Amino acid sequence: MTESKALRALREAIVLEHMECQNDFDFDTSLNTFPHPRYEIMASGQVLDGVDEVRAYWQRTRETFPDQRSKVIEVHHADDAVVVEFELSGTHLGSLLGEQPSNKSFKVRMVAFFLFEKDVLVCERVYGDSATVMQQLGLLNAPDEYTGPY
C-alpha cells in the first residue's frame, strides 16, 4: 500500500470511529479522535473549541434528540480532508432553545468536512439544512411547494 493510500485509509478509519462512537454515546472515544476537538456548525455559525465545549454540545443535542443517529452515505477524500455525506435523524423529545418538544422526528442529508494535518484530525466542519429540520419538527411553517420566480 502506498503512503497516500495508507494515509487515506487511516484518516477514514479515524472519521468512521469518530462518527460511530457518537452514535453509541461514547463521547470520550469520539473526543479522543482529535488532540484538540473543534467543531464548526456552519448553519448556526457556532464554533465549539475544546473538549468541554464539544462535549457540552453533544450532551445538549442528545438531551434534545436522544435517538440522534448519523448514517454514513458516502465518504470522499481530499488532500487535507475526509468529506462525509450522511443522513442525520432524531426525535425531538427535549428542548434545545426553550421550545416545547414536538415529539416529531427529522431526517436530513448533511455533509461534514473532517480536516486533517497529516494524520491528525483538527476540525469537523458541518454543513446542513436547519430549515428542513425545523420544518419536519413542526417548528417552522414553510410552503410545501415553491411557487415564486426561478
Side-chain angles (χ1 to χ4, degrees), residues 7 19 22-23 28 35 39-40 43 46 59 72 75 81 84 93 99 101 108 125 130 136 142 144:
L7 181 58
M19 293 183 75
Q22 286 181 51
N23 283 340
D28 289 334
Y39 261 55
E40 298 173 0
Q46 290 176 282
Q59 288 172 333
V72 173
V75 177
V84 179
L93 301 177
E99 79 286 356
V108 66
R125 185 173 297 144
S130 56
Q136 290 178 14
D144 291 333

Side-chain angles (χ1 to χ4, degrees), residues 3-23:
E3 183 178 337
S4 64
K5 284 185 179 181
L7 181 58
R8 285 173 61 153
L10 175 60
R11 288 176 175 176
E12 185 170 326
I14 290 168
V15 166
L16 294 177
E17 177 184 38
H18 174 89
M19 293 183 75
E20 189 56 40
C21 288
Q22 286 181 51
N23 283 340

Side-chain angles (χ1 to χ4, degrees), residues 65 69 87-93 100-110 128-144:
F65 306 102
R69 306 256 326 142
E87 181 179 85
L88 183 68
S89 62
T91 307
H92 187 219
L93 301 177
Q100 289 296 316
S102 68
N103 299 318
K104 294 182 178 183
S105 296
F106 75 90
K107 188 181 291 186
V108 66
R109 194 164 182 157
M110 301 179 68
D129 179 3
S130 56
T132 295
V133 172
M134 300 298 280
Q135 185 177 13
Q136 290 178 14
L137 297 178
L139 301 173
L140 175 68
N141 292 325
D144 291 333

Side-chain angles (χ1 to χ4, degrees), residues 20-105:
E20 189 56 40
C21 288
Q22 286 181 51
N23 283 340
D24 294 338
F25 290 64
D26 182 359
F27 297 149
D28 289 334
T29 300
S30 192
L31 285 165
N32 286 330
T33 59
F34 29 11
H36 181 86
R38 181 178 173 91
Y39 261 55
E40 298 173 0
I41 313 297
M42 303 312 290
S44 65
Q46 290 176 282
V47 175
L48 307 156
D49 193 45
V51 170
D52 293 340
E53 288 185 17
V54 173
R55 182 188 305 277
Y57 171 77
W58 288 345
Q59 288 172 333
R60 190 171 62 254
T61 57
R62 292 342 181 264
E63 289 167 4
T64 305
F65 306 102
D67 60 346
Q68 181 176 312
R69 306 256 326 142
S70 295
K71 178 183 170 190
V72 173
I73 298 168
E74 292 277 343
V75 177
H76 307 274
H77 295 269
D79 289 344
D80 62 353
V82 175
V83 181
V84 179
E85 295 178 77
F86 64 100
E87 181 179 85
L88 183 68
S89 62
T91 307
H92 187 219
L93 301 177
S95 178
L96 189 60
L97 301 169
E99 79 286 356
Q100 289 296 316
S102 68
N103 299 318
K104 294 182 178 183
S105 296

